[in-house]
Structure formats: C-alpha cells, structure tokens
Amino acid sequence: MAYEWKPDYDAAYIERAERLSRIREDASILPGLKEFYKDHPVEFINDWGVTFDPRNAEVGLPTTMPFLLFPKQAEFITWLRDRWLGREDGLAEKSRDMGASWLCVGFAVWMFLFHPGTVAGFGSRKEEYVDKLGDPKALFWKVRQFINLLPIEFRPAGWDQKKHAPYMNIVNPENGAAIVGESGDNIGRGNRTSIYFKDESAFYERAESIDAALSQTSNCKIDISTPNGNGNPFYRKRHGGKINVFTFHWRDDPRKNAEWYAKQKNTLDPVVLAQEVDIDYNASTSDAWINGELITDAQRKGPADVEVNGPWAIGVDAAHMGDDESVITKRRGLLTLPQISRHKLDGPDLAGAVEEECRTLEESGGLIGSIVIELDGPGVSAYDALKRGKYAEKVIGVHTGARQSDDRNYNLKAKLWRAANDYLKRGGCAMDKDPELKAQLGSYRYSYRDGLLLMESKKEYKKRLGKSPDRADSWVLTFAEPVKRPTEPFQMIPPSRPIARR
C-alpha cells in the first residue's frame, strides 16, 4: 500500500559524510565494511548509492541525490540476489516509472565491486537504450554515473572512466569483474554472463531467438518490462508458472497515490494506462480482434460452471514444420476441454490421434458432430486418412482463404473468427486456463478490405510474433458450421470460390 515518502536527502548526505569521515580516520574499518557489503546489496546502495532524476528540478529537489530505497525496491534487490545465487531465471513485471533501471544498475555495480570475475549483462531492443555517451536515458550512462559518484574508497583501485568504461564495456581493473551491453538481435551473442538483464523484453521483435541465445550464455536471466499485450513470449513466460515472478505495481511506490493515478488516467490513452500503469496484459488494442477480457472471463470458469449440450465439434490444426504444433480442440457448446498438442506428427499419425480423442468422447456418452481440418499443407494427408476411418462422415475439410459472399467477411477465416468472437461476447462459456491459447487468441490482428473483415494470415502472425498461432486456429475451426444434407449429414457450407489461404 502506498504511503507518503519524503526522504530527507540533506540528512542522508550528512550521515554519509560522517560515516566517510570515520572510515578515513580509521583505515581498519573499511575492510570489514566491504566484507559486510559483499552479502548486503541493499545496505550498500542505501549507504552510498546515488541516482539521478531531472524532473526533481521542477519541484525544488536536487536532480542528483542519495539512492534511498523504499521497501519494495529493497525487496527487489534482495529478489535479484536470490535469483543470481540460485542460478535461476526471473521475470519482473512493472508499472512505468518504478526506478527499475536504476535498481538493476545498482545491483550490477554491487556485483562489479564486491564479486571478482563476475559479468553483468544488459540488453535492450535499441542500441541507444543500452549505451549512448552523454545520454541519461542509456543504461550505461547510469552505470558510469553510479560508479563515479561513489567515494573513492569504494571505486576500483586505479579507476579511470576513459580507460575502463568504453562503449558497451565497463571493466573493474582491480578484480576483473565487468558490465557488458548488447542490443537488438545481438543480445545473447556475446560472452558468458553471471546475470543478464533484459530491459523492456516484452517489446523484443525476436524474443524467442534471443532467449535461445541467452540460454547458452547465462544461468540467470532477468526479464524486466511493462506489459505489451498478451501475444508475446514475455506474457507466456509470466503466466506459464515455470519462472519466479516479481510484481512492481505502482501501488507499491510510496511516491504515488490516488491523486497521482487520477492524473495518469486523465492524461494517458486508456490502453497505455492499462498496460503500463495497471500491468494489464489484456488491455484491448486497436488491431486485436478478440478482447483479452473475454478470454479471461471464459478461463475463469470450469466444466462444472456451464451447461453442456449438443455434439462435440473437433478442430484440427496440422503443424507445418519446426516448432509448430499439431493441435486438437474439443468443444461442446459452452465448454472447451484442454487442447491436445503434439510436435512432429505426420498426417496419418495426427489422424490417429484425432480418432483416439473422438473414441474417448463417445465412450463418455458424447456424440461427435464434426471434425474440421484445414486443407492446407500437412492437413491434407491427415484429412485423407480421416476420410478413410471410422468418422469419415463427420470430417469437413476447409480452405480458410475461400472468399465469402455474405457482405461481412472477406474469406472463411474471417467468418470463423467473427463467430468465435460472438461466442465469447455472449458469455457463459468455459475454456481451459492455457496462457498460450489466451495469448494467441488475444493477439490476432484484423483489418478491413473493401469493407469486409480480414484476419491476418498465419504467416503474418508468425513473422510478427515468432510463433505459429496453432492453438488459436484449432479452436476457431470448431466454429465451422455443419449443415445436414440428404447424402452427407455434416458438411461445411461451400464457399463461393477458393483462393490462397489468408
């Protein structure tokens, strides 16, 4: 809970001056003090750290001031220490303007001074965010500032900024420790590090390739970012349950209160407010077709919360290559069961997996209404195998790029996504709490062509986010509409003409 925070900087300076005077009067104090700081980064930063904020000038405060940690900041420093010593990764989600950059800098300098041979790495999506000489927004400007403003007793012996702190590389001449920087696609391509800070990592263009590179170079990788929607690896990592998470909410900041929040609400775009202040991953964006809150509402419910009736609709998305997944979705009315995902299945094997799931549903008293599979790439061989099997009459092959003539949807894909969105808007439905499904559904973009709804293609989605939306596409296929005909009980309404898949 926020409370009034009015640190007395004058008193802090006086206390530091008195402490430094005692050290200089009695040289025997310094070795023991350094040994203490080796295990106590919070105390070191509070005792000697300095930070910078040019906005203080407008309210009559010094722009350069003692770095006095409020409780949540101190907790964060301890959390970083625990991650590093435990050789494990961590993720810090934050509201904007929480001082996270300075905290990471303070921690890195603490390692640099008191732990010989360590290497702290910093990466950001743009080079100027890491290092740009003379620019206070750059992380390495902050590092140099932090070191230079320490008493000489705590700076490395022989420290010379020009010699030991060149571009993107700061070296401790006394103990061999270093602080290094990288940017963009070069992140993780350098030397091994003891800890690696990934600044604003929710905004990386190729986050998964960066993660792969860093997995080979550091045992402790710290993702730090404000949210950037729910269609990215940062979101999936945050909600996947496999990584230690630190939440830095504005309510934890004693400098902020209800009046501060009201001002943000009046001046910021609602989406920016939701994501960057309230840490809301589901804030709607202008080009996302499904509102994340609709998905959240459905994932809050379980099978016991909804009435289930009607036949089962099975959606099958066949994998193309590499890390893509073949996904089977089982939806019956208002209920969607946990999806089945498999890697490296060929067409016949995927067909066998689909038939196995259908048999299990029938043994539980269910009726298979339709099995919908997209006739694109590997889906064709799975379709052919299914048409020779037990459920042949239930199998529907679709081309989602097929043009429609309903004056609303450009192609079949748009029609299916419109039906899926309407389904969620009606409410009362339940689906598995899968963060990956939620991320994919909530990040699919749309546009209009000739006044008709057009969803982005799978290829476009994968290029933008680095991962194929297989789970979303599989779920949306369950909204294909079977119709009864004299010869075929279940068949997709035929499209007017097929075109290239969108």
mmCIF file of all heavy atoms in Angstrom, residues 26 47 61 112 128 139 150 179 207 217 221 239 252 289 335 351 366 392 432-433 445 472 475 486 491:
data_model
loop_
_atom_site.group_PDB
_atom_site.id
_atom_site.type_symbol
_atom_site.label_atom_id
_atom_site.label_comp_id
_atom_site.label_asym_id
_atom_site.label_seq_id
_atom_site.Cartn_x
_atom_site.Cartn_y
_atom_site.Cartn_z
ATOM 1 N N ASP A 26 39.933 5.989 10.486
ATOM 2 C CA ASP A 26 40.340 4.663 10.969
ATOM 3 C C ASP A 26 40.298 3.690 9.796
ATOM 4 O O ASP A 26 39.253 3.148 9.446
ATOM 5 C CB ASP A 26 39.403 4.196 12.090
ATOM 6 C CG ASP A 26 39.830 2.867 12.706
ATOM 7 O OD1 ASP A 26 40.810 2.263 12.200
ATOM 8 O OD2 ASP A 26 39.182 2.430 13.675
ATOM 9 N N ASP A 47 23.557 3.079 1.623
ATOM 10 C CA ASP A 47 24.645 3.820 2.280
ATOM 11 C C ASP A 47 25.414 4.723 1.322
ATOM 12 O O ASP A 47 25.867 5.802 1.718
ATOM 13 C CB ASP A 47 25.615 2.836 2.943
ATOM 14 C CG ASP A 47 25.045 2.228 4.216
ATOM 15 O OD1 ASP A 47 23.969 2.670 4.658
ATOM 16 O OD2 ASP A 47 25.695 1.303 4.757
ATOM 17 N N LEU A 61 13.813 19.985 -5.835
ATOM 18 C CA LEU A 61 14.649 18.940 -5.247
ATOM 19 C C LEU A 61 15.909 18.770 -6.087
ATOM 20 O O LEU A 61 15.922 19.094 -7.284
ATOM 21 C CB LEU A 61 13.879 17.608 -5.182
ATOM 22 C CG LEU A 61 12.702 17.551 -4.217
ATOM 23 C CD1 LEU A 61 11.960 16.226 -4.384
ATOM 24 C CD2 LEU A 61 13.170 17.726 -2.781
ATOM 25 N N PHE A 112 29.865 -5.916 -9.479
ATOM 26 C CA PHE A 112 31.089 -5.435 -10.118
ATOM 27 C C PHE A 112 32.161 -5.089 -9.080
ATOM 28 O O PHE A 112 33.350 -5.348 -9.277
ATOM 29 C CB PHE A 112 30.690 -4.216 -10.947
ATOM 30 C CG PHE A 112 31.789 -3.440 -11.598
ATOM 31 C CD1 PHE A 112 32.298 -3.809 -12.820
ATOM 32 C CD2 PHE A 112 32.273 -2.275 -11.004
ATOM 33 C CE1 PHE A 112 33.278 -3.045 -13.450
ATOM 34 C CE2 PHE A 112 33.252 -1.512 -11.617
ATOM 35 C CZ PHE A 112 33.765 -1.905 -12.845
ATOM 36 N N GLU A 128 20.714 2.634 -28.465
ATOM 37 C CA GLU A 128 20.824 3.860 -27.659
ATOM 38 C C GLU A 128 20.241 3.712 -26.264
ATOM 39 O O GLU A 128 20.528 4.503 -25.377
ATOM 40 C CB GLU A 128 20.175 5.045 -28.371
ATOM 41 C CG GLU A 128 18.670 4.944 -28.543
ATOM 42 C CD GLU A 128 18.272 4.556 -29.950
ATOM 43 O OE1 GLU A 128 19.024 3.777 -30.593
ATOM 44 O OE2 GLU A 128 17.218 5.026 -30.410
ATOM 45 N N LEU A 139 21.376 2.998 -20.249
ATOM 46 C CA LEU A 139 21.720 2.234 -19.048
ATOM 47 C C LEU A 139 23.176 2.430 -18.648
ATOM 48 O O LEU A 139 23.495 2.556 -17.457
ATOM 49 C CB LEU A 139 21.432 0.752 -19.285
ATOM 50 C CG LEU A 139 19.950 0.370 -19.395
ATOM 51 C CD1 LEU A 139 19.791 -1.005 -20.022
ATOM 52 C CD2 LEU A 139 19.290 0.406 -18.027
ATOM 53 N N LEU A 150 30.530 7.364 -6.368
ATOM 54 C CA LEU A 150 30.891 6.674 -5.132
ATOM 55 C C LEU A 150 32.123 7.329 -4.510
ATOM 56 O O LEU A 150 32.960 7.884 -5.222
ATOM 57 C CB LEU A 150 31.206 5.201 -5.422
ATOM 58 C CG LEU A 150 30.043 4.287 -5.804
ATOM 59 C CD1 LEU A 150 30.589 2.941 -6.288
ATOM 60 C CD2 LEU A 150 29.085 4.095 -4.640
ATOM 61 N N ILE A 179 30.875 -5.244 -16.730
ATOM 62 C CA ILE A 179 29.485 -4.989 -17.092
ATOM 63 C C ILE A 179 29.477 -4.763 -18.596
ATOM 64 O O ILE A 179 30.187 -3.895 -19.099
ATOM 65 C CB ILE A 179 28.910 -3.765 -16.355
ATOM 66 C CG1 ILE A 179 28.973 -3.983 -14.835
ATOM 67 C CG2 ILE A 179 27.471 -3.495 -16.786
ATOM 68 C CD1 ILE A 179 28.558 -2.766 -14.019
ATOM 69 N N ALA A 207 12.001 -12.309 -29.684
ATOM 70 C CA ALA A 207 12.290 -12.659 -28.295
ATOM 71 C C ALA A 207 12.711 -14.119 -28.132
ATOM 72 O O ALA A 207 13.571 -14.433 -27.313
ATOM 73 C CB ALA A 207 11.071 -12.364 -27.425
ATOM 74 N N THR A 217 24.442 -18.784 -22.563
ATOM 75 C CA THR A 217 25.466 -17.858 -22.070
ATOM 76 C C THR A 217 25.249 -17.390 -20.631
ATOM 77 O O THR A 217 26.144 -16.774 -20.055
ATOM 78 C CB THR A 217 25.540 -16.609 -22.968
ATOM 79 O OG1 THR A 217 24.273 -15.943 -22.970
ATOM 80 C CG2 THR A 217 25.908 -16.993 -24.393
ATOM 81 N N LYS A 221 18.847 -15.141 -16.063
ATOM 82 C CA LYS A 221 18.354 -14.142 -17.000
ATOM 83 C C LYS A 221 17.127 -13.475 -16.391
ATOM 84 O O LYS A 221 16.189 -14.160 -15.980
ATOM 85 C CB LYS A 221 18.010 -14.803 -18.333
ATOM 86 C CG LYS A 221 19.219 -15.482 -18.971
ATOM 87 C CD LYS A 221 18.830 -16.362 -20.133
ATOM 88 C CE LYS A 221 18.139 -17.640 -19.697
ATOM 89 N NZ LYS A 221 19.001 -18.551 -18.934
ATOM 90 N N HIS A 239 2.965 -16.030 -17.312
ATOM 91 C CA HIS A 239 1.808 -16.812 -16.879
ATOM 92 C C HIS A 239 1.997 -18.319 -17.038
ATOM 93 O O HIS A 239 1.051 -19.079 -16.849
ATOM 94 C CB HIS A 239 0.563 -16.364 -17.649
ATOM 95 C CG HIS A 239 0.129 -14.968 -17.328
ATOM 96 N ND1 HIS A 239 0.613 -13.863 -17.999
ATOM 97 C CD2 HIS A 239 -0.716 -14.492 -16.383
ATOM 98 C CE1 HIS A 239 0.073 -12.771 -17.498
ATOM 99 N NE2 HIS A 239 -0.726 -13.112 -16.519
ATOM 100 N N ASP A 252 2.776 -0.045 -4.981
ATOM 101 C CA ASP A 252 3.903 -0.346 -4.091
ATOM 102 C C ASP A 252 4.864 0.823 -3.959
ATOM 103 O O ASP A 252 5.819 0.753 -3.186
ATOM 104 C CB ASP A 252 4.681 -1.559 -4.620
ATOM 105 C CG ASP A 252 3.831 -2.816 -4.699
ATOM 106 O OD1 ASP A 252 3.069 -3.058 -3.752
ATOM 107 O OD2 ASP A 252 3.932 -3.543 -5.712
ATOM 108 N N TRP A 289 -8.521 -8.525 -32.668
ATOM 109 C CA TRP A 289 -9.929 -8.798 -32.935
ATOM 110 C C TRP A 289 -10.693 -9.212 -31.674
ATOM 111 O O TRP A 289 -11.832 -8.800 -31.456
ATOM 112 C CB TRP A 289 -10.051 -9.889 -34.000
ATOM 113 C CG TRP A 289 -11.461 -10.306 -34.311
ATOM 114 C CD1 TRP A 289 -12.018 -11.523 -34.109
ATOM 115 C CD2 TRP A 289 -12.487 -9.501 -34.890
ATOM 116 N NE1 TRP A 289 -13.323 -11.545 -34.509
ATOM 117 C CE2 TRP A 289 -13.637 -10.301 -35.007
ATOM 118 C CE3 TRP A 289 -12.553 -8.176 -35.322
ATOM 119 C CZ2 TRP A 289 -14.835 -9.830 -35.538
ATOM 120 C CZ3 TRP A 289 -13.741 -7.697 -35.852
ATOM 121 C CH2 TRP A 289 -14.861 -8.505 -35.963
ATOM 122 N N LEU A 335 -18.547 -25.421 -23.557
ATOM 123 C CA LEU A 335 -17.354 -25.982 -22.911
ATOM 124 C C LEU A 335 -16.270 -26.314 -23.928
ATOM 125 O O LEU A 335 -16.525 -26.994 -24.932
ATOM 126 C CB LEU A 335 -17.724 -27.246 -22.139
ATOM 127 C CG LEU A 335 -16.556 -28.023 -21.508
ATOM 128 C CD1 LEU A 335 -15.881 -27.188 -20.419
ATOM 129 C CD2 LEU A 335 -17.029 -29.362 -20.955
ATOM 130 N N ALA A 351 -4.154 -38.071 -37.721
ATOM 131 C CA ALA A 351 -5.497 -38.626 -37.884
ATOM 132 C C ALA A 351 -5.782 -39.674 -36.809
ATOM 133 O O ALA A 351 -6.891 -39.723 -36.234
ATOM 134 C CB ALA A 351 -5.647 -39.237 -39.273
ATOM 135 N N GLY A 366 -20.641 -38.920 -25.310
ATOM 136 C CA GLY A 366 -20.745 -37.801 -26.226
ATOM 137 C C GLY A 366 -21.008 -38.223 -27.656
ATOM 138 O O GLY A 366 -20.828 -39.383 -28.034
ATOM 139 N N ALA A 392 -15.452 -40.875 -40.995
ATOM 140 C CA ALA A 392 -15.351 -40.257 -42.313
ATOM 141 C C ALA A 392 -16.488 -39.272 -42.592
ATOM 142 O O ALA A 392 -16.278 -38.200 -43.160
ATOM 143 C CB ALA A 392 -15.303 -41.340 -43.391
ATOM 144 N N ASP A 432 -10.172 -24.022 -20.981
ATOM 145 C CA ASP A 432 -9.006 -24.332 -20.165
ATOM 146 C C ASP A 432 -8.143 -23.086 -19.938
ATOM 147 O O ASP A 432 -8.028 -22.222 -20.797
ATOM 148 C CB ASP A 432 -8.178 -25.414 -20.867
ATOM 149 C CG ASP A 432 -6.955 -25.821 -20.068
ATOM 150 O OD1 ASP A 432 -7.114 -26.146 -18.883
ATOM 151 O OD2 ASP A 432 -5.854 -25.791 -20.632
ATOM 152 N N LYS A 433 -7.531 -23.017 -18.749
ATOM 153 C CA LYS A 433 -6.686 -21.868 -18.384
ATOM 154 C C LYS A 433 -5.294 -22.008 -18.995
ATOM 155 O O LYS A 433 -4.288 -22.087 -18.294
ATOM 156 C CB LYS A 433 -6.605 -21.743 -16.859
ATOM 157 C CG LYS A 433 -7.934 -21.460 -16.187
ATOM 158 C CD LYS A 433 -7.795 -21.438 -14.673
ATOM 159 C CE LYS A 433 -9.104 -21.098 -13.990
ATOM 160 N NZ LYS A 433 -10.166 -22.081 -14.268
ATOM 161 N N ARG A 445 -4.515 -10.088 -35.210
ATOM 162 C CA ARG A 445 -4.889 -8.791 -35.749
ATOM 163 C C ARG A 445 -5.914 -8.916 -36.874
ATOM 164 O O ARG A 445 -6.038 -9.958 -37.508
ATOM 165 C CB ARG A 445 -3.649 -8.067 -36.281
ATOM 166 C CG ARG A 445 -2.701 -7.612 -35.195
ATOM 167 C CD ARG A 445 -1.495 -6.919 -35.787
ATOM 168 N NE ARG A 445 -0.642 -6.350 -34.752
ATOM 169 C CZ ARG A 445 0.519 -5.753 -34.986
ATOM 170 N NH1 ARG A 445 0.961 -5.636 -36.237
ATOM 171 N NH2 ARG A 445 1.236 -5.258 -33.997
ATOM 172 N N ALA A 472 -4.853 -21.178 -31.385
ATOM 173 C CA ALA A 472 -5.979 -20.307 -31.720
ATOM 174 C C ALA A 472 -6.685 -20.802 -32.978
ATOM 175 O O ALA A 472 -7.922 -20.873 -33.031
ATOM 176 C CB ALA A 472 -5.496 -18.874 -31.908
ATOM 177 N N TRP A 475 -8.848 -23.868 -32.285
ATOM 178 C CA TRP A 475 -10.097 -23.563 -31.564
ATOM 179 C C TRP A 475 -11.110 -22.897 -32.480
ATOM 180 O O TRP A 475 -12.299 -23.229 -32.467
ATOM 181 C CB TRP A 475 -9.786 -22.656 -30.371
ATOM 182 C CG TRP A 475 -10.971 -22.406 -29.486
ATOM 183 C CD1 TRP A 475 -11.552 -23.281 -28.616
ATOM 184 C CD2 TRP A 475 -11.718 -21.192 -29.396
ATOM 185 N NE1 TRP A 475 -12.614 -22.686 -27.971
ATOM 186 C CE2 TRP A 475 -12.737 -21.400 -28.432
ATOM 187 C CE3 TRP A 475 -11.622 -19.951 -30.013
ATOM 188 C CZ2 TRP A 475 -13.656 -20.411 -28.087
ATOM 189 C CZ3 TRP A 475 -12.535 -18.958 -29.677
ATOM 190 C CH2 TRP A 475 -13.537 -19.195 -28.722
ATOM 191 N N PRO A 486 -29.072 -34.526 -47.636
ATOM 192 C CA PRO A 486 -29.584 -35.890 -47.794
ATOM 193 C C PRO A 486 -28.482 -36.940 -47.864
ATOM 194 O O PRO A 486 -28.614 -38.023 -47.332
ATOM 195 C CB PRO A 486 -30.357 -35.829 -49.127
ATOM 196 C CG PRO A 486 -30.731 -34.387 -49.265
ATOM 197 C CD PRO A 486 -29.606 -33.616 -48.655
ATOM 198 N N GLN A 491 -21.718 -31.317 -43.385
ATOM 199 C CA GLN A 491 -20.859 -30.776 -44.433
ATOM 200 C C GLN A 491 -20.765 -29.263 -44.276
ATOM 201 O O GLN A 491 -21.747 -28.601 -43.924
ATOM 202 C CB GLN A 491 -21.428 -31.125 -45.801
ATOM 203 C CG GLN A 491 -20.556 -30.631 -46.967
ATOM 204 C CD GLN A 491 -21.105 -31.106 -48.288
ATOM 205 O OE1 GLN A 491 -21.662 -32.188 -48.369
ATOM 206 N NE2 GLN A 491 -20.958 -30.295 -49.314
#
